[in-house]
Amino acid sequence: MDLTLLWTIQLAPLAVFALIFILPKNARGIAPLLGLTGSAAAAVSALCFLLAHAGKAGQPALHYSVDWLTIDLPAAWPLGKAVSGTLKAGFLLDPLNLLMITLVTVISFFVQLFSFYYMREDESRPRYFAYLSFFSFAMTGLVLASNLLQTFMFWELVGLASYLLIGFWYTKPSAAQAARKAFVLNRLGDLGFYLGIVILFVGLGTLDFTGLGKDAVLSALGPTLAMAAGLLVLTGVMGKSAQFPLHIWLPDAMEGPTPVSALIHSATMVAAGVFLLVRAYGVFSASEVTLEVILLLGCVTGLIGALLATRQRDIKKILAYSTVSQLGLMAAGVGAHAPQAAMFHLTTHAFFKSCLFLTSGAFIHRFHSNDIWTIARGGGRKDLVPMLTLTVGLLSLCGLPPLSGFFSKDLILEAAKHHGLAAFAACVAVSVLTAYYSFRLLFIVLFARPTAGHGHGHHAHGHDAGGHHEDLLGGLSRALPLLLLAALSIYAGFLGSPMTHSPILVWLGGHEAHFDPAMAVKTLVIIAVGCAIAFALHRDPDASEKKLESSKGPWAMLVDRRFFIDDAFVWVTKQVGLRIASFFDLMDRWLVNGVLVNGTSYRIADLGRLAVRLQSGSLQGYLACGLAVLAVTLLWLTGGSSR
Amino acid sequence: MSATLQPYLLISTLLLCLGLYGVLTRRNLIAVLISLELILNSASLNFVAFGRFHMADPSAGQVFAIFIIALAAAEVCVALSLILLLFRQRRSVDPASMDQLKG
C-alpha cells in the first residue's frame, strides 16, 4: 500500500507530462486540468502517507531498494586501492523527506491551481503545464531518493526543469539569458557535487543515506578527505540553493512566470540544497571545518541577499533577494549544528514565500507591472485578497509572533547564538534588514495615493500576461491558493512552537524548543527597529521613489551593481576562463588537428605518392619486374634445395 | 655426331634469352610476338631433347612439341587480332604508348 502511494507520488506528474505532449492539437485545452489532476493525485497520496506515518519518530517509514550496479574494481592508478560497492536505486522514507515530499506536492498543487488563473491567456499553456509536471516528477524523485547518486540524477533533472521554465518565454532575450545563467552556474556547482559523490563512493563503497552517518564517513575517509568530500558536495548545494557566490542566478531567474518563481525558485527547488544539507548531514558534520564554511557562507549570503533586497523596485526581485537571504539563514542554521531548525525554517519559508510569490503574481497579472510603485498607485491596496495574504506573508517573513516565521527564525537565531557572537550578530542583522524591506514593501503599497490613469490596468504593458477577465473560476483559482497558503503559513509555525511541544522538531530527531522570553523580546525589538526605519523612510512613497532614483552615493552604486559579484564573475571568466579556453583551442588546432589528424593523413599520402611511381604504365617494365621476381624466387628455391 | 644433351640445352637457353630480350625491348608489338615464338620454340626444343636422351620412348616429348606448335598458332591468332584492333584505335603498335593505366 505504502509503495503504491509512493509510486503514485513519483509517477503521476511524469504521466501527465508525457500525456500532455502526446495530446492531439485540438485537445490541448485540457492540459491545465491534467496538470491539476496529476499534482492533486501526488498531493493526496503524500498527505495519506503523512497521516499514516506522522509521529512515529526514529525509524524510517519505508526503505525499498533494488541493486542497480555492482562495482568491483581492482586496485589501480589513480586510486591506489580496490573499489567495491553496490549502487542501489530505491525509496527511503523517513520523517525528513516525508515532510519535504508533503511540502513539495502540496505547494505544487497550489501553484498549478494558481497557474490556472495566471496563465489562462497564454498561447503555450500546455507546454507550461507539461514542464511544471515534469518539475514535480523530478523534485519528488530528488526527495524520495534513497542514495546520493539517485539524488544527483534528479538534482540535474530539476535543474533542467528550472532552465526550461525560466526560459519559458524564450522569445524574450532576457529570459533566455537568465535561463542560461542559471544553468551554467548550477553546472559549476554540480561538478563539485559529482566529485564529492565519487570520493564518498570510493571511500565507503555505498551511497545510501543510511550508510552516510558521521562516524562511518569519518572512519572510512579520515578527517582530510571527509572535509574535502563535504566541501565538494557543498558546492552543489551552493549552486542549487543560491549561496554566495553562486547566488547571482536566482534574482535573474525571476524572468520566468511568477507561479514558477513561487514553486521552483523559492519554495521547493532552491530549498533542495538545504534539504540535502540536512539529508546528508553526516557527510558535512564529519568535519568541523565544513560546518564552519557552511555557517560563514550562510551568513554572507543572508547579509548580501537582505542588503540587495532593500533597494529593489521590482516586487519579484525583492522577494527573490529575500529568498536568497532566507536560504542563507537556513544554511547558517545547519552550520550552527541545528539541522532540524533549518528544516523547520525551510518548511515555514516554503509556505509563506510561495504565498508571497503567488500574491505578487496576482498583483502583476492585474496591474501589468512588476514595479511596486506602479502597483501601489494602481490601487494595489484595494485588492483585498492579495493585500491580506501579502500582509500575512510579509509579517511571517519578518517573524512577527505568532506567525510561522517567528518560531522558525527564532530557532536559527538561538542556534547561532549558541555558536558564537559573530554568527549571532550576522543573523540579527539579516533579521533587521528583513523586517526593513518587508515593511518597506508593505508601506509603499499601503500608503501610495492611487493616481488616475493607473486604474485597473487596461493599458498594454506587454507584461507577464494579457488582459484579465474575472469570472467565478478565475477568481476562485486566484484567491483560493493565496488564502490557503496564507493559512498554512500561519499554521505551520505551531508545528514547531514550544506551546505545542514542537512535534515537528522531535519528529525530525531534534529537541523540543524551549520558550525563551528574552529571545522573543529580542525578535520583537528587531522587528520594531526594522519597521521604524521603514516607516521613517517610506511613509511617503512618492518621496521615497524620488530618493531611490536620485541617490548616487557609493553605497547606492554598490548595491545597484549587486556588490560587483556579477562583474567579478565576468572578469574571472574573461581573465582565466578565456585564457584556458584559448589554450585548449590552440592545442586542438595545433596538436590534435594539425599533428595528429592532418599529420597522419599527410604522411600516408606521402607513402601513396611513393607507391604511385611503381605504376609507370609501361608494359615491358612490368614484365621485366615480374621476370626478375620470378628469377630471384627460382634461384632461392633451387639454391635452397640443392644445398 | 656427339650424342649429348648439352648443346641442345645451350641452344634452347640462347633462344630463351633472345626471346626475353626481344619481348622486353622491342618497340613493336609484332616483333614482341615474334620474340614470344622464340621462347616457345626454346621450350619445344627442351621437350624434344629431354625426350630423346632421357626417356625410353621419345615420342612423349615430340607430342608436347606438337601441342606447343598448335598452341602457338592459336596464341598468335588471338594476339594478332588484338594488335590489329589496337592499331585501328590508336594508329600505333608501340607497347610504350599503352600506359593509360599509369598511376
Side-chain angles (χ1 to χ4, degrees), chain A residues 363-386:
Chain A
F363 279 136
I364 291 169
H365 194 254
R366 173 150 297 174
F367 299 104
H368 304 287
S369 170
N370 287 6
D371 186 75
I372 46 177
W373 276 281
T374 312
I375 291 171
R377 293 202 186 105
R381 64 180 168 189
K382 286 187 197 137
D383 206 349
L384 279 183
V385 173

Side-chain angles (χ1 to χ4, degrees), chain B residues 42-56:
Chain B
S42 87
S44 325
L45 186 57
N46 267 4
F47 274 115
V48 177
F50 277 109
R52 158 78 177 73
F53 289 105
H54 280 280
M55 305 283 282

Side-chain angles (χ1 to χ4, degrees), chain A residues 205-388:
Chain A
T206 178
L207 290 172
D208 263 28
F209 287 119
T210 43
L212 287 181
K214 177 181 173 179
D215 299 327
V217 172
L218 209 53
S219 67
L221 289 177
T224 321
L225 262 183
M227 183 187 80
L231 288 177
L232 282 171
V233 175
L234 178 64
T235 56
V237 172
M238 282 158 62
K240 187 83 36 192
S241 267
Q243 300 292 306
F244 173 83
L246 298 182
H247 66 276
I248 54 174
W249 67 269
L250 188 56
D252 290 31
M254 297 302 128
E255 288 290 340
T258 310
V260 167
S261 311
L263 177 63
I264 301 184
H265 304 119
S266 73
T268 56
M269 186 192 81
V270 291
V274 178
F275 169 73
L276 186 73
L277 282 182
V278 183
R279 180 100 250 213
Y281 187 62
V283 176
F284 300 108
S285 59
S287 157
E288 209 46 49
V289 181
T290 314
L291 283 183
E292 284 298 324
V293 171
I294 294 175
L295 180 66
L296 182 70
L297 280 179
C299 291
V300 172
T301 312
L303 277 173
I304 286 183
L307 282 172
L308 288 175
T310 57
R311 275 183 63 83
Q312 303 297 323
R313 302 182 60 108
D314 182 333
I315 186 167
K316 284 180 77 180
K317 285 274 164 72
I318 297 176
L319 295 177
Y321 280 117
S322 151
T323 305
V324 171
S325 110
Q326 297 300 309
L327 287 169
L329 268 190
M330 293 174 211
V334 176
H337 302 94
Q340 287 86 16
M343 203 55 210
F344 180 39
H345 193 51
L346 190 160
T347 312
T348 58
H349 174 262
F351 286 126
F352 64 69
K353 192 52 75 62
S354 55
C355 170
L356 279 173
F357 260 111
L358 291 187
T359 304
S360 80
F363 279 136
I364 291 169
H365 194 254
R366 173 150 297 174
F367 299 104
H368 304 287
S369 170
N370 287 6
D371 186 75
I372 46 177
W373 276 281
T374 312
I375 291 171
R377 293 202 186 105
R381 64 180 168 189
K382 286 187 197 137
D383 206 349
L384 279 183
V385 173
M387 207 50 218
L388 177 72

Side-chain angles (χ1 to χ4, degrees), chain A residues 612 615-624 627, chain B residues 20 23-27 32 95 98-99 102-103:
Chain A
V612 158
Q615 313 286 322
S616 62
S618 142
L619 287 176
Q620 288 162 327
Y622 295 160
L623 199 57
L627 283 174
Chain B
L20 277 179
V23 165
L24 292 181
T25 56
R26 296 314 298 248
R27 308 303 248 158
V32 170
M98 285 151 206
D99 58 356
K102 185 169 149 183

